[in-house]
Each structure stands twice: as C-alpha cells, then as structure tokens.
Amino acid sequence: MSDNPVQGLLQTALSGLNGMMDVNSIVGKPIETSDGTTIIPISKVSYGYFTGGSEFGSSSSTHMPFGGGIGGGATITPTAFLVIGPSGAQLLPLDMPKDSLSRIIELTPQLLVSVREWFDNGASSRPQ
C-alpha cells in the first residue's frame, strides 16, 4: 500500500496541517502591560480536510492513470483572555453571557481604573 497515490495525497495534507498548527495557535504569546499585568489570548482551532482519488483505465493494464485531489481549511477563533495581574488571575471569555449588559457594567470600573493609570503613567513620562 506504500505506492498508493491516495496515501501520498494524505501525507501531503497532514504535513501541511502540522506546519500551520502549533501550541501558539491555541495559547497565544503573552502580552505584558506597563503595570505588570500579563494578558494571554486563548483561541479555538478547528480544521478539516478531505482527499480522494480514482484510477482510470482497464484492470488488464499494469499501470492505470490516477486522478485525485485534496482540500482543507482551518479557522482560529479567539475565545478568551487569561489576565494575570497583582490581584490574581482571571479568565475573561469573549462570548457574552445572556445578561451581557450586567457583564459590561461589572467590568466598567476595572476599565476606568486601567485607563486612568495609563493616562497617569503617560503624563508622568512626558517632558515638561
């Protein structure tokens, strides 16, 4: 079965997918902020492929012509951020819960504090 052309197509597809997908596709590179907080993006990776082939000609010949094809696709969807800061670690999912307005209101004070700190740090580094 080692000389089967379909097997060659399949090996080509799998080696291509292995080259595209690695652990950094799922758990992204950490992002460091000026206040020491680390943000790590988390994603969902989905991929699929198909392959097929057929031999044409009569069964009496020793070598039959082969026709085949391969196709595939992949998606990477961000799903959450892991935030590690002085107050601990928190997982912030990107899918909004049913009561998304409550979630936005809950996170607003944290956002305002971060924006204020950012402006304060930026203002102190400007030349006078």
PDB file of all heavy atoms in Angstrom, residues 61-75:
ATOM      1  N   SER A  61      -4.518  -3.600 -17.581  1.00  0.00           N
ATOM      2  CA  SER A  61      -3.221  -2.930 -17.705  1.00  0.00           C
ATOM      3  C   SER A  61      -2.487  -2.959 -16.371  1.00  0.00           C
ATOM      4  O   SER A  61      -3.095  -3.032 -15.307  1.00  0.00           O
ATOM      5  CB  SER A  61      -3.401  -1.497 -18.191  1.00  0.00           C
ATOM      6  OG  SER A  61      -4.041  -0.735 -17.193  1.00  0.00           O
ATOM      7  N   THR A  62      -1.159  -2.899 -16.427  1.00  0.00           N
ATOM      8  CA  THR A  62      -0.371  -2.950 -15.190  1.00  0.00           C
ATOM      9  C   THR A  62      -0.323  -1.603 -14.487  1.00  0.00           C
ATOM     10  O   THR A  62      -0.121  -1.535 -13.299  1.00  0.00           O
ATOM     11  CB  THR A  62       1.065  -3.410 -15.497  1.00  0.00           C
ATOM     12  OG1 THR A  62       1.644  -2.501 -16.438  1.00  0.00           O
ATOM     13  CG2 THR A  62       1.069  -4.816 -16.042  1.00  0.00           C
ATOM     14  N   HIS A  63      -0.463  -0.540 -15.225  1.00  0.00           N
ATOM     15  CA  HIS A  63      -0.422   0.800 -14.627  1.00  0.00           C
ATOM     16  C   HIS A  63      -1.640   1.594 -15.110  1.00  0.00           C
ATOM     17  O   HIS A  63      -1.813   1.802 -16.294  1.00  0.00           O
ATOM     18  CB  HIS A  63       0.861   1.530 -15.031  1.00  0.00           C
ATOM     19  CG  HIS A  63       0.929   2.924 -14.470  1.00  0.00           C
ATOM     20  ND1 HIS A  63       1.113   3.160 -13.135  1.00  0.00           N
ATOM     21  CD2 HIS A  63       0.822   4.127 -15.076  1.00  0.00           C
ATOM     22  CE1 HIS A  63       1.121   4.467 -12.930  1.00  0.00           C
ATOM     23  NE2 HIS A  63       0.941   5.076 -14.103  1.00  0.00           N
ATOM     24  N   MET A  64      -2.481   1.989 -14.174  1.00  0.00           N
ATOM     25  CA  MET A  64      -3.683   2.742 -14.545  1.00  0.00           C
ATOM     26  C   MET A  64      -3.468   4.215 -14.206  1.00  0.00           C
ATOM     27  O   MET A  64      -2.862   4.530 -13.178  1.00  0.00           O
ATOM     28  CB  MET A  64      -4.895   2.193 -13.794  1.00  0.00           C
ATOM     29  CG  MET A  64      -5.203   0.759 -14.164  1.00  0.00           C
ATOM     30  SD  MET A  64      -6.805   0.172 -13.620  1.00  0.00           S
ATOM     31  CE  MET A  64      -6.693   0.212 -11.879  1.00  0.00           C
ATOM     32  N   PRO A  65      -3.963   5.121 -15.023  1.00  0.00           N
ATOM     33  CA  PRO A  65      -3.845   6.552 -14.711  1.00  0.00           C
ATOM     34  C   PRO A  65      -4.593   6.876 -13.423  1.00  0.00           C
ATOM     35  O   PRO A  65      -5.626   6.280 -13.125  1.00  0.00           O
ATOM     36  CB  PRO A  65      -4.492   7.240 -15.903  1.00  0.00           C
ATOM     37  CG  PRO A  65      -4.678   6.216 -16.947  1.00  0.00           C
ATOM     38  CD  PRO A  65      -4.627   4.881 -16.280  1.00  0.00           C
ATOM     39  N   PHE A  66      -4.055   7.818 -12.686  1.00  0.00           N
ATOM     40  CA  PHE A  66      -4.630   8.186 -11.393  1.00  0.00           C
ATOM     41  C   PHE A  66      -5.080   9.642 -11.439  1.00  0.00           C
ATOM     42  O   PHE A  66      -4.393  10.500 -11.981  1.00  0.00           O
ATOM     43  CB  PHE A  66      -3.591   7.998 -10.283  1.00  0.00           C
ATOM     44  CG  PHE A  66      -4.061   8.466  -8.940  1.00  0.00           C
ATOM     45  CD1 PHE A  66      -4.927   7.697  -8.195  1.00  0.00           C
ATOM     46  CD2 PHE A  66      -3.657   9.699  -8.435  1.00  0.00           C
ATOM     47  CE1 PHE A  66      -5.367   8.128  -6.957  1.00  0.00           C
ATOM     48  CE2 PHE A  66      -4.095  10.132  -7.204  1.00  0.00           C
ATOM     49  CZ  PHE A  66      -4.949   9.345  -6.458  1.00  0.00           C
ATOM     50  N   GLY A  67      -6.222   9.908 -10.853  1.00  0.00           N
ATOM     51  CA  GLY A  67      -6.712  11.274 -10.684  1.00  0.00           C
ATOM     52  C   GLY A  67      -7.097  11.455  -9.227  1.00  0.00           C
ATOM     53  O   GLY A  67      -7.706  10.578  -8.624  1.00  0.00           O
ATOM     54  N   GLY A  68      -6.714  12.554  -8.642  1.00  0.00           N
ATOM     55  CA  GLY A  68      -7.033  12.748  -7.229  1.00  0.00           C
ATOM     56  C   GLY A  68      -7.005  14.205  -6.857  1.00  0.00           C
ATOM     57  O   GLY A  68      -6.579  15.066  -7.628  1.00  0.00           O
ATOM     58  N   GLY A  69      -7.460  14.458  -5.672  1.00  0.00           N
ATOM     59  CA  GLY A  69      -7.480  15.829  -5.182  1.00  0.00           C
ATOM     60  C   GLY A  69      -7.490  15.870  -3.678  1.00  0.00           C
ATOM     61  O   GLY A  69      -7.755  14.873  -3.007  1.00  0.00           O
ATOM     62  N   ILE A  70      -7.193  17.032  -3.165  1.00  0.00           N
ATOM     63  CA  ILE A  70      -7.161  17.223  -1.722  1.00  0.00           C
ATOM     64  C   ILE A  70      -7.607  18.651  -1.426  1.00  0.00           C
ATOM     65  O   ILE A  70      -7.386  19.555  -2.231  1.00  0.00           O
ATOM     66  CB  ILE A  70      -5.754  16.945  -1.173  1.00  0.00           C
ATOM     67  CG1 ILE A  70      -5.774  16.849   0.327  1.00  0.00           C
ATOM     68  CG2 ILE A  70      -4.757  17.972  -1.642  1.00  0.00           C
ATOM     69  CD1 ILE A  70      -4.544  16.194   0.886  1.00  0.00           C
ATOM     70  N   GLY A  71      -8.245  18.832  -0.321  1.00  0.00           N
ATOM     71  CA  GLY A  71      -8.682  20.162   0.080  1.00  0.00           C
ATOM     72  C   GLY A  71      -8.797  20.231   1.583  1.00  0.00           C
ATOM     73  O   GLY A  71      -8.839  19.211   2.266  1.00  0.00           O
ATOM     74  N   GLY A  72      -8.830  21.412   2.091  1.00  0.00           N
ATOM     75  CA  GLY A  72      -8.947  21.548   3.535  1.00  0.00           C
ATOM     76  C   GLY A  72      -9.086  22.999   3.929  1.00  0.00           C
ATOM     77  O   GLY A  72      -9.006  23.908   3.097  1.00  0.00           O
ATOM     78  N   GLY A  73      -9.288  23.181   5.196  1.00  0.00           N
ATOM     79  CA  GLY A  73      -9.415  24.528   5.717  1.00  0.00           C
ATOM     80  C   GLY A  73      -9.224  24.547   7.217  1.00  0.00           C
ATOM     81  O   GLY A  73      -9.281  23.504   7.873  1.00  0.00           O
ATOM     82  N   ALA A  74      -8.955  25.713   7.742  1.00  0.00           N
ATOM     83  CA  ALA A  74      -8.752  25.867   9.178  1.00  0.00           C
ATOM     84  C   ALA A  74      -9.313  27.207   9.620  1.00  0.00           C
ATOM     85  O   ALA A  74      -9.342  28.166   8.843  1.00  0.00           O
ATOM     86  CB  ALA A  74      -7.270  25.790   9.517  1.00  0.00           C
ATOM     87  N   THR A  75      -9.777  27.249  10.859  1.00  0.00           N
ATOM     88  CA  THR A  75     -10.216  28.505  11.459  1.00  0.00           C
ATOM     89  C   THR A  75      -9.597  28.632  12.841  1.00  0.00           C
ATOM     90  O   THR A  75      -9.438  27.641  13.546  1.00  0.00           O
ATOM     91  CB  THR A  75     -11.752  28.595  11.605  1.00  0.00           C
ATOM     92  OG1 THR A  75     -12.199  27.558  12.459  1.00  0.00           O
ATOM     93  CG2 THR A  75     -12.449  28.496  10.273  1.00  0.00           C
TER      94      THR A  75
END
